[in-house]
Amino acid sequence: MSNNDEAIKVMIVGEWGTGRNHLLYRLQDHSPYYELIKEQEYLVRLYDDVRRGVTYEGSSYEITVRTIIEPEEFSRLKGLSMFDREVAILCFNLMNESSLKSLSEYHYPFMKHVNTNVISILVGTKSDLLNNPEGQNTYQDKEPIPKDQIEEVKTTLGVRDYIEISTLEDVNIDKLLQLVVKCGIEYREIKKKEETKKNKKCCLL
């Protein structure tokens, strides 16, 4: 259990094919996910909440992670599942330029419309394919997305950080968890300052 108030609320955003469901189950405590992913037998649900304990700078925290549903017919439910989240993990496939485009042009604007204050981390998934020509062939010989293009999107969206991960090879998963907690702490500090300002205004009135 966490010794730091309530769990930090996190959402994973991105289109199908970005590995967002892989990441969700990879983050789950005591999950059989790692064995399941090897056989590609993981379950895909509309959205799920999973819990994970994280140690950050010597303190214990708990996060609850939810992957956001995709189908257009569930757009209302999608909005409801976003509104209370504190941190967003914005996923795109490093081998699929359209996934980065849809993230910046659709998913991110929709998310910010529903939840203005959420703090975001840009996450490039499937980094194991970057140096794997055989794996890249599954993407019709597409080249990885250029670094400068990713940097441009990062700057345009104003995200807190950018990281590349592989759920299959467990690359940078722990580092991502550290960033999530860091952003969650920042979110709550900002919210606390805003509430203090509101209380001062009420007192003056």
Side-chain angles (χ1 to χ4, degrees):
M1 282 295 293
S2 167
N3 56 18
N4 289 278
D5 302 319
E6 62 181 303
I8 295 170
K9 300 180 182 70
V10 185
M11 59 179 162
I12 301 175
V13 180
E15 66 177 23
W16 296 114
T18 58
R20 63 184 188 185
N21 289 298
H22 293 200
L23 179 57
L24 178 73
Y25 291 108
R26 188 67 185 84
L27 295 179
Q28 187 173 3
D29 273 339
H30 310 299
S31 172
Y33 167 84
Y34 189 68
E35 294 302 320
L36 292 176
I37 191 175
K38 289 179 180 178
E39 304 298 328
Q40 299 293 297
E41 294 176 357
Y42 52 88
L43 298 175
V44 178
R45 299 175 181 147
L46 289 180
Y47 69 83
D48 248 337
D49 275 318
V50 301
R51 291 183 174 271
R52 175 70 180 252
V54 182
T55 300
Y56 176 76
E57 294 187 348
S59 296
S60 298
Y61 295 83
E62 186 177 51
I63 64 174
T64 59
V65 190
R66 172 181 298 173
T67 185
I68 302 303
I69 59 176
E70 171 67 21
E72 188 64 30
E73 60 267 28
F74 293 110
S75 59
R76 184 178 179 185
L77 182 57
K78 180 177 179 179
L80 290 173
S81 65
M82 285 182 171
F83 86 97
D84 67 337
R85 301 290 102 175
E86 299 168 304
V87 180
I89 297 173
L90 308 177
C91 290
F92 70 95
N93 183 339
L94 287 161
M95 292 297 302
N96 187 343
E97 187 175 346
S98 68
S99 69
L100 181 62
K101 184 177 180 180
S102 69
L103 184 65
S104 61
E105 294 183 359
Y106 171 67
H107 297 287
Y108 183 80
F110 183 92
M111 177 193 74
K112 293 298 282 186
H113 174 72
V114 174
N115 188 336
T116 307
N117 298 319
V118 65
I119 296 178
S120 304
I121 303 167
L122 185 63
V123 178
T125 63
K126 305 191 179 185
S127 65
D128 52 283
L129 294 177
L130 295 180
N131 298 307
N132 181 354
E134 183 177 344
Q136 290 181 18
N137 287 337
T138 63
Y139 291 91
Q140 300 176 341
D141 298 320
K142 289 181 179 178
E143 293 292 324
I145 302 173
K147 296 289 186 182
D148 58 345
Q149 188 174 337
I150 297 171
E151 187 61 32
E152 182 180 349
V153 171
K154 175 179 179 289
T155 301
T156 300
L157 299 185
V159 299
R160 284 298 187 275
D161 217 320
Y162 169 65
I163 187 172
E164 296 179 356
I165 68 168
S166 168
T167 53
L168 185 63
E169 297 185 352
D170 198 24
V171 176
N172 282 338
I173 301 300
D174 287 338
K175 186 176 180 180
L176 175 59
L177 286 167
Q178 296 294 300
L179 289 174
V180 165
V181 174
K182 180 181 178 181
C183 289
I185 293 171
E186 180 182 348
Y187 176 94
R188 292 182 179 184
E189 288 175 346
I190 293 172
K191 188 175 180 180
K192 187 175 180 180
K193 288 179 181 178
E194 290 176 348
E195 289 175 350
T196 300
K197 287 182 180 179
K198 286 180 182 180
N199 291 334
K200 286 183 178 179
K201 286 182 180 179
C202 290
C203 290
L204 288 174
L205 293 173

